[in-house]
Amino acid sequence: VLRGMMKKAVKTSSAGRVLDALSCWLGICDTMTYDGEPAMKLEPYIRKGRDVHGFSAPVKSGAVDTLALFGQVADIAKPGAKLSNDARADIARSFAEALFEGLVTAAAPEGALGFTGGVSYNLAINDILFEKLRKRGVKLITHSRVPNGDGGISFGQLAGGGFHVSGY
């Protein structure tokens, strides 16, 4: 039953928890006091950083291998290592570039790709994703009338499921 459902399911990801883990790894936020705090505190580092490390996020069985990506980070800095803010920023940017390259590869969008969820509030990530899709000739679809967070996810799942079921 699950295999049959998976063939018809809308593809999605949860980049927020991956970014939370990176934030903790880099010592930016190791105690979460509200939902999404670590990823939010990571945003200015992603914005400021440069993609200098050449990380890659392999796609295996249609999913990004985030363990391999964290392994590349470990080659540069162990969890909790003392790093300058510039070093944190460059690792964060390089990680985000690789992560979203992998997610775009896994999604294999044709024409357009929708972006929702809490991570879509992150303007640095939006810029990265927009540029990756622009290079492929794919349009990035973002919110204008539906909230980015959980409300947007559930609305998107309903719309995507209805679209898929109706055969359009």
Side-chain angles (χ1 to χ4, degrees), residues 85-106:
N85 283 338
D86 287 343
R88 283 186 181 102
D90 290 346
I91 292 169
R93 181 61 180 233
S94 297
F95 185 98
E97 291 278 353
L99 176 64
F100 281 86
E101 182 66 32
L103 288 170
V104 168
T105 298

Side-chain angles (χ1 to χ4, degrees), residues 102-163:
L103 288 170
V104 168
T105 298
E110 296 178 17
L113 179 87
F115 187 43
T116 189
V119 173
S120 67
Y121 284 111
N122 184 315
L123 298 179
I125 297 291
N126 271 280
D127 291 347
I128 289 169
L129 187 55
F130 176 82
E131 186 60 25
K132 291 188 179 307
L133 293 173
R134 184 193 65 74
K135 287 178 180 176
R136 289 173 170 81
V138 175
K139 180 181 178 183
L140 175 62
I141 300 171
T142 58
H143 295 273
S144 62
R145 296 183 184 161
V146 176
N148 291 33
D150 292 345
I153 292 172
S154 56
F155 181 84
Q157 289 170 333
L158 286 170
F163 180 79

Side-chain angles (χ1 to χ4, degrees), residues 26-80:
L26 296 176
I28 294 167
C29 181
D30 59 6
T31 303
M32 185 172 77
T33 59
Y34 56 87
D35 189 39
E37 179 182 10
M40 284 189 242
K41 288 183 174 178
L42 185 65
E43 181 175 4
Y45 290 87
I46 295 170
R47 169 81 54 212
K48 180 182 170 191
R50 299 166 298 133
D51 184 12
V52 296
H53 293 295
F55 296 151
S56 64
V59 176
K60 296 180 180 177
S61 301
V64 176
D65 184 355
T66 55
L67 290 177
L69 187 51
F70 274 103
Q72 294 165 64
V73 173
D75 290 340
I76 295 168
K78 299 299 179 206

